Amino acid sequence: MKRIGIDVGGTNTDAVLITGERVLSFIKQPTTADVMTGVVNAIKAVMAADPEPHIAIDAVMIGTTHFTNAVVERARLERAAAVRIAMPASASLPPMVDWPQDLFDAVAPLRFMVEGGHEYDGRPLVPFNREQMFDAAYQIRDAGITSVGITGLFSPLTAEGEEEAAAVIRTVIPDARITLSHTLGRIGLLERENVTMLNAALQGLGASTVDAFRKALVECGITARFYLTQNDGTVVLADVAAANPVYSFASGPTNSMRGAAFLTGRLDGMVVDVGGTTADIGYLQGGFPRQANNVVKIGGVRTLFRMPDLLPIALGGGTIINPETLAIGPRSVGYNLLRDAMVFGGSILTATDIAVAAGLAEIGDRDRVKGLDKALVDGALAGMRKLLEENVDRMKTSAEGTPLLAVGGGAFLIPDELRGCSEVVRVEHAGVANAIGAAMAQVSGEVDQVFSGLDRDAALAEAERLARAQAVAAGAGEDTITVIDAEDIPIAYLPGKARRVRLRVVGDIDFGGK
């Protein structure tokens, strides 16, 4: 199968064209202010270099920072309504109470708290108040809002209340885009509600982004199906991704981690992906990113849902170095590297300039940095080494040395030896590992919920059935799906043999429906 993988970063847009496990062509170019122009240019460039142009493209995989950037920049967010089904409990803390004020103002939510929800053991807290829900639905309709996030108390145990509320909303607003919290988050009302509302505010952008990508592909003469990458190292059909844009948060680093696994043949080890602005440190387990099990802040908002365990640090090719104090970052010249870095005729000292002066990279005009003081260069390199060693150590789970896979366009900033690492592995095409990871990605399905009234084997079987159905809906071939991760925890304080099951499956893309 012939695929194009694209990763749009804050500094560079990378694209690769692969068939099977062969890289046919690749390109790395600065991200444009108009992101779609950069995507079109990258696609046209890799297709122009295709040695097998007579073979059609089967699929396109795109990794984008659109949704993360929208939250960080407080821009392009849709006004949404928040419905919490938990009254009379939780009245003291209304929905989105802990959001940064500027982000709250950007979403300008209508907030409703409705009687209903469930206890920790699955019993109804109070009966669901349909009259209150209809009243909320009419107010949402009259305000012209079509994006709604619904969160029920302990809905991961039973989604009954959220589904009833969604039915009421659809009765009043047939074209409403609805996000149900039990499909995204875990136990923890506020964190689950937060990610639900982030998703609701981004769904409009998700639809417009997918439409823009579709038009860009048509402009390039590509009619194949296309997918967006997700933060578990897999892809999903673009239209499915548009409904759940939060799953694209942190997908760029996970693309790089999957690319590192593919390029090195290593399924386990530390990965450092050095881009133009940051270096992301993560850990591969079985070829996929290790998942975070704690609260993750996104744009200042506390969330608890599926996210990779990543540690970003301010070290990239465009990171600004203070020549007097040798301070590294945190600011970066970003996609203006070709204009501002000294090796390209600029006047700002960057990490790339230090690497070129030290002979670690052949970029730009080395003569422009040959006058840099050796003590300055050595001091900056020592500072980068220390920064990497300290943060790699933070991500380790044991004192033993672990292999480190160096990828990203700025991988030349990683020394050949680091304290705490058994080896530093470098590979061909490491600079476009993110795009390769996108192109090689599989499709996943995941379940994380509490099952009651079932024994262990039945609960695991039901979780696998649900996860398989998710994977098929996202574009996986049913016969290729396998379970890659499963765990279950009995919950002693709940009746009915309750247990929490987390199960994940992956499968190859189904090209049969093309």
mmCIF file with all atom_site columns, all heavy atoms in Angstrom, residues 361-376:
data_model
loop_
_atom_site.group_PDB
_atom_site.id
_atom_site.type_symbol
_atom_site.label_atom_id
_atom_site.label_alt_id
_atom_site.label_comp_id
_atom_site.label_asym_id
_atom_site.label_entity_id
_atom_site.label_seq_id
_atom_site.pdbx_PDB_ins_code
_atom_site.Cartn_x
_atom_site.Cartn_y
_atom_site.Cartn_z
_atom_site.occupancy
_atom_site.B_iso_or_equiv
_atom_site.pdbx_formal_charge
_atom_site.auth_seq_id
_atom_site.auth_comp_id
_atom_site.auth_asym_id
_atom_site.auth_atom_id
_atom_site.pdbx_PDB_model_num
ATOM 1   N N   . ALA A 1 361 ? 26.467 19.700 12.877 1.00 0.00 ? 361 ALA A N   1
ATOM 2   C CA  . ALA A 1 361 ? 25.477 19.770 11.809 1.00 0.00 ? 361 ALA A CA  1
ATOM 3   C C   . ALA A 1 361 ? 26.014 20.607 10.659 1.00 0.00 ? 361 ALA A C   1
ATOM 4   O O   . ALA A 1 361 ? 26.841 21.508 10.859 1.00 0.00 ? 361 ALA A O   1
ATOM 5   C CB  . ALA A 1 361 ? 24.170 20.377 12.333 1.00 0.00 ? 361 ALA A CB  1
ATOM 6   N N   . GLU A 1 362 ? 25.559 20.277 9.463  1.00 0.00 ? 362 GLU A N   1
ATOM 7   C CA  . GLU A 1 362 ? 25.916 21.045 8.260  1.00 0.00 ? 362 GLU A CA  1
ATOM 8   C C   . GLU A 1 362 ? 24.655 21.740 7.767  1.00 0.00 ? 362 GLU A C   1
ATOM 9   O O   . GLU A 1 362 ? 23.928 21.222 6.925  1.00 0.00 ? 362 GLU A O   1
ATOM 10  C CB  . GLU A 1 362 ? 26.491 20.114 7.192  1.00 0.00 ? 362 GLU A CB  1
ATOM 11  C CG  . GLU A 1 362 ? 27.830 19.492 7.545  1.00 0.00 ? 362 GLU A CG  1
ATOM 12  C CD  . GLU A 1 362 ? 28.956 20.515 7.617  1.00 0.00 ? 362 GLU A CD  1
ATOM 13  O OE1 . GLU A 1 362 ? 28.837 21.570 6.951  1.00 0.00 ? 362 GLU A OE1 1
ATOM 14  O OE2 . GLU A 1 362 ? 29.931 20.266 8.338  1.00 0.00 ? 362 GLU A OE2 1
ATOM 15  N N   . ILE A 1 363 ? 24.385 22.894 8.321  1.00 0.00 ? 363 ILE A N   1
ATOM 16  C CA  . ILE A 1 363 ? 23.183 23.652 7.980  1.00 0.00 ? 363 ILE A CA  1
ATOM 17  C C   . ILE A 1 363 ? 23.571 25.105 7.760  1.00 0.00 ? 363 ILE A C   1
ATOM 18  O O   . ILE A 1 363 ? 24.346 25.674 8.548  1.00 0.00 ? 363 ILE A O   1
ATOM 19  C CB  . ILE A 1 363 ? 22.145 23.566 9.113  1.00 0.00 ? 363 ILE A CB  1
ATOM 20  C CG1 . ILE A 1 363 ? 21.753 22.109 9.392  1.00 0.00 ? 363 ILE A CG1 1
ATOM 21  C CG2 . ILE A 1 363 ? 20.887 24.374 8.777  1.00 0.00 ? 363 ILE A CG2 1
ATOM 22  C CD1 . ILE A 1 363 ? 20.854 21.941 10.596 1.00 0.00 ? 363 ILE A CD1 1
ATOM 23  N N   . GLY A 1 364 ? 23.035 25.699 6.725  1.00 0.00 ? 364 GLY A N   1
ATOM 24  C CA  . GLY A 1 364 ? 23.327 27.109 6.475  1.00 0.00 ? 364 GLY A CA  1
ATOM 25  C C   . GLY A 1 364 ? 24.798 27.337 6.140  1.00 0.00 ? 364 GLY A C   1
ATOM 26  O O   . GLY A 1 364 ? 25.487 26.468 5.586  1.00 0.00 ? 364 GLY A O   1
ATOM 27  N N   . ASP A 1 365 ? 25.302 28.504 6.480  1.00 0.00 ? 365 ASP A N   1
ATOM 28  C CA  . ASP A 1 365 ? 26.672 28.913 6.160  1.00 0.00 ? 365 ASP A CA  1
ATOM 29  C C   . ASP A 1 365 ? 27.514 28.876 7.435  1.00 0.00 ? 365 ASP A C   1
ATOM 30  O O   . ASP A 1 365 ? 27.389 29.743 8.304  1.00 0.00 ? 365 ASP A O   1
ATOM 31  C CB  . ASP A 1 365 ? 26.648 30.331 5.565  1.00 0.00 ? 365 ASP A CB  1
ATOM 32  C CG  . ASP A 1 365 ? 28.028 30.786 5.119  1.00 0.00 ? 365 ASP A CG  1
ATOM 33  O OD1 . ASP A 1 365 ? 29.019 30.040 5.334  1.00 0.00 ? 365 ASP A OD1 1
ATOM 34  O OD2 . ASP A 1 365 ? 28.125 31.900 4.562  1.00 0.00 ? 365 ASP A OD2 1
ATOM 35  N N   . ARG A 1 366 ? 28.381 27.879 7.512  1.00 0.00 ? 366 ARG A N   1
ATOM 36  C CA  . ARG A 1 366 ? 29.194 27.717 8.723  1.00 0.00 ? 366 ARG A CA  1
ATOM 37  C C   . ARG A 1 366 ? 30.129 28.899 8.950  1.00 0.00 ? 366 ARG A C   1
ATOM 38  O O   . ARG A 1 366 ? 30.483 29.215 10.102 1.00 0.00 ? 366 ARG A O   1
ATOM 39  C CB  . ARG A 1 366 ? 29.998 26.420 8.631  1.00 0.00 ? 366 ARG A CB  1
ATOM 40  C CG  . ARG A 1 366 ? 30.731 26.071 9.928  1.00 0.00 ? 366 ARG A CG  1
ATOM 41  C CD  . ARG A 1 366 ? 31.391 24.721 9.837  1.00 0.00 ? 366 ARG A CD  1
ATOM 42  N NE  . ARG A 1 366 ? 32.024 24.360 11.095 1.00 0.00 ? 366 ARG A NE  1
ATOM 43  C CZ  . ARG A 1 366 ? 32.675 23.232 11.298 1.00 0.00 ? 366 ARG A CZ  1
ATOM 44  N NH1 . ARG A 1 366 ? 32.746 22.325 10.325 1.00 0.00 ? 366 ARG A NH1 1
ATOM 45  N NH2 . ARG A 1 366 ? 33.238 22.982 12.470 1.00 0.00 ? 366 ARG A NH2 1
ATOM 46  N N   . ASP A 1 367 ? 30.533 29.553 7.893  1.00 0.00 ? 367 ASP A N   1
ATOM 47  C CA  . ASP A 1 367 ? 31.451 30.694 8.033  1.00 0.00 ? 367 ASP A CA  1
ATOM 48  C C   . ASP A 1 367 ? 30.851 31.802 8.896  1.00 0.00 ? 367 ASP A C   1
ATOM 49  O O   . ASP A 1 367 ? 31.585 32.593 9.494  1.00 0.00 ? 367 ASP A O   1
ATOM 50  C CB  . ASP A 1 367 ? 31.817 31.258 6.655  1.00 0.00 ? 367 ASP A CB  1
ATOM 51  C CG  . ASP A 1 367 ? 32.744 30.324 5.885  1.00 0.00 ? 367 ASP A CG  1
ATOM 52  O OD1 . ASP A 1 367 ? 33.370 29.452 6.535  1.00 0.00 ? 367 ASP A OD1 1
ATOM 53  O OD2 . ASP A 1 367 ? 32.842 30.452 4.652  1.00 0.00 ? 367 ASP A OD2 1
ATOM 54  N N   . ARG A 1 368 ? 29.526 31.867 8.944  1.00 0.00 ? 368 ARG A N   1
ATOM 55  C CA  . ARG A 1 368 ? 28.878 32.934 9.701  1.00 0.00 ? 368 ARG A CA  1
ATOM 56  C C   . ARG A 1 368 ? 29.014 32.735 11.221 1.00 0.00 ? 368 ARG A C   1
ATOM 57  O O   . ARG A 1 368 ? 28.764 33.663 11.989 1.00 0.00 ? 368 ARG A O   1
ATOM 58  C CB  . ARG A 1 368 ? 27.388 33.016 9.331  1.00 0.00 ? 368 ARG A CB  1
ATOM 59  C CG  . ARG A 1 368 ? 27.141 33.438 7.882  1.00 0.00 ? 368 ARG A CG  1
ATOM 60  C CD  . ARG A 1 368 ? 25.644 33.522 7.602  1.00 0.00 ? 368 ARG A CD  1
ATOM 61  N NE  . ARG A 1 368 ? 25.355 33.854 6.218  1.00 0.00 ? 368 ARG A NE  1
ATOM 62  C CZ  . ARG A 1 368 ? 25.294 35.085 5.734  1.00 0.00 ? 368 ARG A CZ  1
ATOM 63  N NH1 . ARG A 1 368 ? 25.501 36.107 6.561  1.00 0.00 ? 368 ARG A NH1 1
ATOM 64  N NH2 . ARG A 1 368 ? 25.021 35.303 4.462  1.00 0.00 ? 368 ARG A NH2 1
ATOM 65  N N   . VAL A 1 369 ? 29.377 31.523 11.657 1.00 0.00 ? 369 VAL A N   1
ATOM 66  C CA  . VAL A 1 369 ? 29.499 31.275 13.107 1.00 0.00 ? 369 VAL A CA  1
ATOM 67  C C   . VAL A 1 369 ? 30.915 30.831 13.490 1.00 0.00 ? 369 VAL A C   1
ATOM 68  O O   . VAL A 1 369 ? 31.143 30.459 14.647 1.00 0.00 ? 369 VAL A O   1
ATOM 69  C CB  . VAL A 1 369 ? 28.483 30.200 13.564 1.00 0.00 ? 369 VAL A CB  1
ATOM 70  C CG1 . VAL A 1 369 ? 27.069 30.731 13.455 1.00 0.00 ? 369 VAL A CG1 1
ATOM 71  C CG2 . VAL A 1 369 ? 28.651 28.908 12.779 1.00 0.00 ? 369 VAL A CG2 1
ATOM 72  N N   . LYS A 1 370 ? 31.851 30.900 12.540 1.00 0.00 ? 370 LYS A N   1
ATOM 73  C CA  . LYS A 1 370 ? 33.206 30.438 12.867 1.00 0.00 ? 370 LYS A CA  1
ATOM 74  C C   . LYS A 1 370 ? 33.892 31.349 13.883 1.00 0.00 ? 370 LYS A C   1
ATOM 75  O O   . LYS A 1 370 ? 34.862 30.953 14.531 1.00 0.00 ? 370 LYS A O   1
ATOM 76  C CB  . LYS A 1 370 ? 34.036 30.324 11.599 1.00 0.00 ? 370 LYS A CB  1
ATOM 77  C CG  . LYS A 1 370 ? 34.329 31.645 10.891 1.00 0.00 ? 370 LYS A CG  1
ATOM 78  C CD  . LYS A 1 370 ? 35.151 31.412 9.631  1.00 0.00 ? 370 LYS A CD  1
ATOM 79  C CE  . LYS A 1 370 ? 35.455 32.724 8.913  1.00 0.00 ? 370 LYS A CE  1
ATOM 80  N NZ  . LYS A 1 370 ? 36.246 32.490 7.675  1.00 0.00 ? 370 LYS A NZ  1
ATOM 81  N N   . GLY A 1 371 ? 33.361 32.563 14.049 1.00 0.00 ? 371 GLY A N   1
ATOM 82  C CA  . GLY A 1 371 ? 33.968 33.484 14.993 1.00 0.00 ? 371 GLY A CA  1
ATOM 83  C C   . GLY A 1 371 ? 33.437 33.357 16.417 1.00 0.00 ? 371 GLY A C   1
ATOM 84  O O   . GLY A 1 371 ? 33.894 34.080 17.309 1.00 0.00 ? 371 GLY A O   1
ATOM 85  N N   . LEU A 1 372 ? 32.502 32.446 16.632 1.00 0.00 ? 372 LEU A N   1
ATOM 86  C CA  . LEU A 1 372 ? 31.966 32.277 17.987 1.00 0.00 ? 372 LEU A CA  1
ATOM 87  C C   . LEU A 1 372 ? 33.056 31.760 18.928 1.00 0.00 ? 372 LEU A C   1
ATOM 88  O O   . LEU A 1 372 ? 33.835 30.865 18.569 1.00 0.00 ? 372 LEU A O   1
ATOM 89  C CB  . LEU A 1 372 ? 30.793 31.289 17.975 1.00 0.00 ? 372 LEU A CB  1
ATOM 90  C CG  . LEU A 1 372 ? 29.477 31.762 17.345 1.00 0.00 ? 372 LEU A CG  1
ATOM 91  C CD1 . LEU A 1 372 ? 28.430 30.648 17.405 1.00 0.00 ? 372 LEU A CD1 1
ATOM 92  C CD2 . LEU A 1 372 ? 28.948 33.013 18.046 1.00 0.00 ? 372 LEU A CD2 1
ATOM 93  N N   . ASP A 1 373 ? 33.098 32.321 20.119 1.00 0.00 ? 373 ASP A N   1
ATOM 94  C CA  . ASP A 1 373 ? 34.103 31.931 21.102 1.00 0.00 ? 373 ASP A CA  1
ATOM 95  C C   . ASP A 1 373 ? 33.925 30.457 21.477 1.00 0.00 ? 373 ASP A C   1
ATOM 96  O O   . ASP A 1 373 ? 32.799 29.997 21.710 1.00 0.00 ? 373 ASP A O   1
ATOM 97  C CB  . ASP A 1 373 ? 33.969 32.805 22.343 1.00 0.00 ? 373 ASP A CB  1
ATOM 98  C CG  . ASP A 1 373 ? 35.051 32.510 23.363 1.00 0.00 ? 373 ASP A CG  1
ATOM 99  O OD1 . ASP A 1 373 ? 36.197 32.926 23.136 1.00 0.00 ? 373 ASP A OD1 1
ATOM 100 O OD2 . ASP A 1 373 ? 34.729 31.855 24.372 1.00 0.00 ? 373 ASP A OD2 1
ATOM 101 N N   . LYS A 1 374 ? 35.034 29.717 21.546 1.00 0.00 ? 374 LYS A N   1
ATOM 102 C CA  . LYS A 1 374 ? 34.966 28.285 21.848 1.00 0.00 ? 374 LYS A CA  1
ATOM 103 C C   . LYS A 1 374 ? 34.358 28.037 23.224 1.00 0.00 ? 374 LYS A C   1
ATOM 104 O O   . LYS A 1 374 ? 33.594 27.075 23.417 1.00 0.00 ? 374 LYS A O   1
ATOM 105 C CB  . LYS A 1 374 ? 36.360 27.655 21.771 1.00 0.00 ? 374 LYS A CB  1
ATOM 106 C CG  . LYS A 1 374 ? 36.357 26.126 21.944 1.00 0.00 ? 374 LYS A CG  1
ATOM 107 C CD  . LYS A 1 374 ? 37.746 25.557 21.766 1.00 0.00 ? 374 LYS A CD  1
ATOM 108 C CE  . LYS A 1 374 ? 37.715 24.034 21.787 1.00 0.00 ? 374 LYS A CE  1
ATOM 109 N NZ  . LYS A 1 374 ? 37.150 23.490 23.023 1.00 0.00 ? 374 LYS A NZ  1
ATOM 110 N N   . ALA A 1 375 ? 34.663 28.890 24.183 1.00 0.00 ? 375 ALA A N   1
ATOM 111 C CA  . ALA A 1 375 ? 34.096 28.725 25.520 1.00 0.00 ? 375 ALA A CA  1
ATOM 112 C C   . ALA A 1 375 ? 32.577 28.880 25.489 1.00 0.00 ? 375 ALA A C   1
ATOM 113 O O   . ALA A 1 375 ? 31.849 28.184 26.218 1.00 0.00 ? 375 ALA A O   1
ATOM 114 C CB  . ALA A 1 375 ? 34.712 29.743 26.473 1.00 0.00 ? 375 ALA A CB  1
ATOM 115 N N   . LEU A 1 376 ? 32.091 29.786 24.634 1.00 0.00 ? 376 LEU A N   1
ATOM 116 C CA  . LEU A 1 376 ? 30.656 29.974 24.488 1.00 0.00 ? 376 LEU A CA  1
ATOM 117 C C   . LEU A 1 376 ? 30.018 28.717 23.908 1.00 0.00 ? 376 LEU A C   1
ATOM 118 O O   . LEU A 1 376 ? 28.995 28.227 24.422 1.00 0.00 ? 376 LEU A O   1
ATOM 119 C CB  . LEU A 1 376 ? 30.386 31.175 23.576 1.00 0.00 ? 376 LEU A CB  1
ATOM 120 C CG  . LEU A 1 376 ? 28.955 31.346 23.040 1.00 0.00 ? 376 LEU A CG  1
ATOM 121 C CD1 . LEU A 1 376 ? 27.980 31.567 24.187 1.00 0.00 ? 376 LEU A CD1 1
ATOM 122 C CD2 . LEU A 1 376 ? 28.884 32.497 22.052 1.00 0.00 ? 376 LEU A CD2 1
#
